Amino acid sequence: MNRSTQTRQRLAGVTLLGFLLFFSPVLTLFDKTSEWAGIPISYLYLFGIWLALILLAAWTVEGRKH
């Protein structure tokens, strides 16, 4: 399997993971009035997952440099 195909498959996996993590039933798990360091838990979850997906996609595209 060539590198281009493998990268596309991994990016599709990152996309599906994003859909799963931003799916409504999962979001309701973090929809609470509690806060951590003054920031609502739901905001931390949303922006944390968003950042993680961006970093994972960037790591997938860049890959290992040989």
Side-chain angles (χ1 to χ4, degrees):
M1 185 179 329
N2 65 18
R3 175 125 172 92
S4 177
T5 304
Q6 192 175 27
T7 300
R8 282 191 205 125
Q9 288 178 351
R10 287 181 180 169
L11 286 174
V14 169
T15 302
L16 291 175
L17 179 65
F19 284 146
L20 175 68
L21 293 175
F22 286 121
F23 192 54
S24 182
V26 178
L27 286 176
T28 58
L29 295 174
F30 298 97
D31 189 23
K32 298 179 179 160
T33 57
S34 60
E35 296 180 351
W36 185 77
I39 304 171
I41 297 293
S42 58
Y43 288 4
L44 288 173
Y45 176 77
L46 286 172
F47 289 109
I49 293 301
W50 187 17
L51 177 65
L53 289 172
I54 291 169
L55 293 175
L56 190 58
W59 181 58
T60 301
V61 170
E62 290 297 318
R64 286 193 256 174
K65 301 289 183 189
H66 288 276

